[in-house]
Amino acid sequence: MPSIFTVSGYKVYFWSNENNEPIHVHVSKGQPSPHGTKIWLTSKGGCILANNGGNIPSKELNELMEFISAQFFIICDAWKKHFLTEEIKFYC
């Protein structure tokens, strides 16, 4: 489970066993959690909230989603390297 970023105390990470799903990240305060918030990346460089399992407050969640969108290419590159693929499947 690689951690990609830590921003404002939140870890942004992948779970290693999810390579059949479209590209997404999980976000948790402090340590990674299986119940963390899940955010899909879109083919246009944005992101969509899948679920807020980490109960991140709205203001912080919006800021995190803006940050994740701004790091789109870095996240895509990390996904390709971690899952050893050149092709990325997007949620939409």
Side-chain angles (χ1 to χ4, degrees):
M1 165 213 26
S3 187
I4 307 161
F5 305 108
T6 300
V7 58
S8 300
Y10 288 94
K11 293 263 188 208
V12 179
Y13 55 96
F14 303 137
W15 282 122
S16 291
N17 62 347
E18 294 188 320
N19 59 334
N20 290 326
E21 288 191 43
I23 187 170
H24 64 279
V25 295
H26 296 270
V27 181
S28 294
K29 188 77 164 181
Q31 295 302 314
S33 164
H35 305 291
T37 295
K38 184 175 184 176
I39 300 171
W40 300 107
L41 273 66
T42 69
S43 60
K44 297 193 187 291
C47 57
I48 297 172
L49 181 66
N51 70 63
N52 189 6
N55 296 314
I56 300 171
S58 297
K59 183 176 187 252
E60 291 178 18
L61 183 58
N62 289 335
E63 290 171 358
L64 286 164
M65 290 180 70
E66 283 183 33
F67 176 83
I68 288 166
S69 290
Q71 304 307 316
F72 176 83
F73 293 108
I74 292 171
I75 294 169
C76 287
D77 187 53
W79 183 274
K80 287 176 181 178
K81 287 178 182 172
H82 181 71
F83 292 110
L84 303 174
T85 185
E86 282 300 313
E87 188 175 326
I88 293 178
K89 190 168 48 171
F90 290 96
Y91 178 74
C92 64

